[in-house]
Amino acid sequence: MPGTLWHSPAALAWLQTILRERFGHAFVLQAQPDGSGMALRLPGDARCISLALNGATFARADSDLPCTLWNAAAEGWQPALPGALPAPGAAQLPAPLITPADNGWHIGYDILGLTYWMLTRQEEVGRTDLDNHGRFPAVHSHAYKHGYLERPVVDEWLHVLGQVIARTWPGIALKQHQFSMKVSHDVDAPSRYGFASAKGLLRAMAGDVLKRGDIKNALRAPWIRLNTRDALHPSDPFNTFEWIMDLSDQHGLTSAFYFICGRTSAMDADYEPEHPAIRALMRRIHERGHEIGLHPSYGTYQKPELIAQEAQRLRTVLAEENIRQAEMGGRMHLLRWEQPTTLRAWADAGMNYDSTLSYADRPGFRCGTCFEYPAFDSVLGQALKLRVRPLVVMECSVIATRYLGLGLGEEAKRKINLLKNACICVGGCFTSLWHNSELKMMEEQELYMNMLHKQFK
């Protein structure tokens, strides 16, 4: 399903915004009338960077594009990450790739087309090769097939473009980005026992005894259930919220907690946002200076009206509790996503940002970037009033046997730190998802703490 050509007027205006956010200057993009290239200029300056234009390739909604590699260091340019730089969409590249030209430089690769294709997720539009939850899986993506899913390839190419800009306009002060982290927590299960039905409680107790050998928690379960009225019980194994916020405070981070506010499937939560214990939890999160957001229920990703309803339900609860926030964002339940239906639904619901876009089956850079950016609907060819905050790693994508299956040991630590280090190298943001219910064991807590501590380059 072809989308809008990336060099349409609306797309060019959006890309100019991307460049202004990245480099701190209002560059102007102009497509050559014959479609042979793209010119990047500063207003009132005769100097120019010309780039190859591969518009048809980067309007494709499939994963069968060619891909080659470029050795930046061999041609005198500084790569952001070690190794040759993947060049999606190109079967081969000219050598040298970047050459002097009249009043500037020429780049023989369509960096801006790649940026458009990756950030708009045009690759995913209309796909039918989905998993059992209706999600486009990593293993079908171009990035996975060509081995660059764990690299922020857009950020790497923009790093090169920044060097060309500096040579074209010597002395220009480009915006400097500093590495940062954002931690978020989908509240699928705020309590192990507190909101369970009688049948659900018995099932949980049986699981504690038979699967985990945890007789202590099984015996406490009825007491916890009876005493989860006005607040979560302190002995509930899923009640890790204070621990999470303590750790975030120690690291100067703000934890974002995303709450489910609807029932569209048995896959959804067993609590209601209006419950006194959930209201108390939200008040506590707000009192401590952390964030509350939306986690739309399982059946909403193709139904914008339901996302809007659930967003309003959350806003109502927050207003009743006198909780005011500068912005509200969140993430889809189980990372269910249909491009661009779900993206537009978030914008139409008046949300400020979405942080869904990572693959469930593999961690990495689904959008090719670790920087937050303005959303663009490639089908309608429109910029949206919404920010996309790419998710780099979800804990179960790394740990769970149904996904990468690395467990809780050194392999998992290495994988998480590899992805974090890639964000450090490009000065981006390492955005993580760790469920409150997946921090009940010491090994889980140690892996989470390691993720927050470890920094290197």
Side-chain angles (χ1 to χ4, degrees), residues 190 194-195 227-233 259 271-284 317 320-321 323:
F195 306 105
N227 288 276
T228 303
R229 294 174 181 171
D230 298 324
L232 298 178
H233 197 282
F259 287 85
Y271 68 90
E272 304 293 348
E274 296 84 3
H275 192 284
I278 299 300
R279 288 177 180 269
L281 173 60
M282 290 182 182
R283 289 195 302 271
R284 181 60 176 160
V317 173
E320 291 170 352
E321 297 300 327
I323 295 172

Side-chain angles (χ1 to χ4, degrees), residues 26-71:
F27 291 102
V28 175
L29 296 174
Q30 296 174 319
Q32 302 295 342
D34 61 0
S36 61
M38 178 65 58
L40 186 151
R41 304 178 185 276
L42 280 174
D45 195 305
R47 288 168 289 187
C48 169
I49 298 172
S50 63
L51 299 98
L53 189 154
N54 194 355
T57 293
F58 290 122
R60 287 170 52 178
D62 63 74
S63 303
D64 298 325
L65 282 64
C67 189
T68 189
L69 297 170
W70 178 57
N71 190 331

Side-chain angles (χ1 to χ4, degrees), residues 52-131:
L53 189 154
N54 194 355
T57 293
F58 290 122
R60 287 170 52 178
D62 63 74
S63 303
D64 298 325
L65 282 64
C67 189
T68 189
L69 297 170
W70 178 57
N71 190 331
E75 295 189 16
W77 304 91
Q78 180 64 45
L81 271 69
L85 179 50
Q92 58 183 16
L93 294 171
L97 180 68
I98 303 173
T99 54
D102 293 340
N103 297 321
W105 292 81
H106 175 73
I107 303 174
Y109 175 61
D110 190 354
I111 296 175
L112 299 178
L114 170 70
T115 301
Y116 173 87
W117 191 70
M118 291 294 294
L119 268 56
T120 65
R121 303 311 305 133
Q122 173 60 23
E123 175 184 9
E124 301 181 28
V125 174
R127 295 295 286 261
T128 58
D129 47 344
L130 309 176
D131 70 7

Side-chain angles (χ1 to χ4, degrees), residues 64-226:
D64 298 325
L65 282 64
C67 189
T68 189
L69 297 170
W70 178 57
N71 190 331
E75 295 189 16
W77 304 91
Q78 180 64 45
L81 271 69
L85 179 50
Q92 58 183 16
L93 294 171
L97 180 68
I98 303 173
T99 54
D102 293 340
N103 297 321
W105 292 81
H106 175 73
I107 303 174
Y109 175 61
D110 190 354
I111 296 175
L112 299 178
L114 170 70
T115 301
Y116 173 87
W117 191 70
M118 291 294 294
L119 268 56
T120 65
R121 303 311 305 133
Q122 173 60 23
E123 175 184 9
E124 301 181 28
V125 174
R127 295 295 286 261
T128 58
D129 47 344
L130 309 176
D131 70 7
N132 60 321
H133 292 293
R135 303 173 299 195
F136 179 63
V139 294
H140 293 169
S141 71
H142 188 270
Y144 179 81
K145 291 176 179 179
H146 292 275
Y148 63 90
L149 179 58
E150 296 180 357
R151 299 182 63 150
V153 66
V154 169
D155 300 332
E156 293 184 72
W157 277 107
L158 291 180
H159 176 77
V160 172
L161 178 58
Q163 296 171 62
V164 181
I165 290 171
R167 292 196 191 182
T168 305
W169 293 278
I172 192 172
L174 297 180
K175 185 175 182 179
Q176 299 300 306
H177 298 275
Q178 299 296 321
F179 169 72
S180 61
M181 286 194 292
K182 289 189 180 295
V183 289
S184 56
H185 318 277
D186 295 350
V187 187
D188 298 346
S191 170
R192 174 86 169 115
Y193 313 110
F195 306 105
S197 64
K199 183 178 179 181
L201 183 65
L202 290 173
R203 187 165 53 244
M205 293 169 65
D208 287 340
V209 174
L210 299 176
K211 293 182 179 180
R212 288 169 287 277
D214 189 352
I215 298 174
K216 182 179 178 181
N217 268 331
L219 293 174
R220 288 192 299 188
W223 177 253
I224 292 172
R225 174 67 180 85
L226 287 171

Side-chain angles (χ1 to χ4, degrees), residues 406-417 447 450:
L406 299 184
L408 297 168
E410 290 302 316
E411 281 190 271
K413 288 181 183 178
R414 282 194 292 270
K415 181 63 69 178
I416 293 170
N417 288 330
L447 185 58
N450 178 269

Side-chain angles (χ1 to χ4, degrees), residues 185-187 189-192 232-248 255 257 281 284-285 288 395 434-442 444-445 448:
H185 318 277
D186 295 350
V187 187
S191 170
R192 174 86 169 115
L232 298 178
H233 197 282
S235 297
D236 194 297
F238 289 180
N239 183 10
T240 58
F241 298 97
E242 295 290 345
W243 185 87
I244 290 170
M245 290 188 284
D246 286 346
L247 202 58
S248 288
S255 273
F257 297 92
L281 173 60
R284 181 60 176 160
I285 291 168
R288 294 197 56 172
E395 93 281 298
W434 208 291
H435 296 79
N436 63 284
S437 52
E438 298 300 325
L439 288 166
K440 55 194 179 297
M441 298 189 304
M442 184 179 297
E444 294 169 332
Q445 294 176 2
Y448 182 71

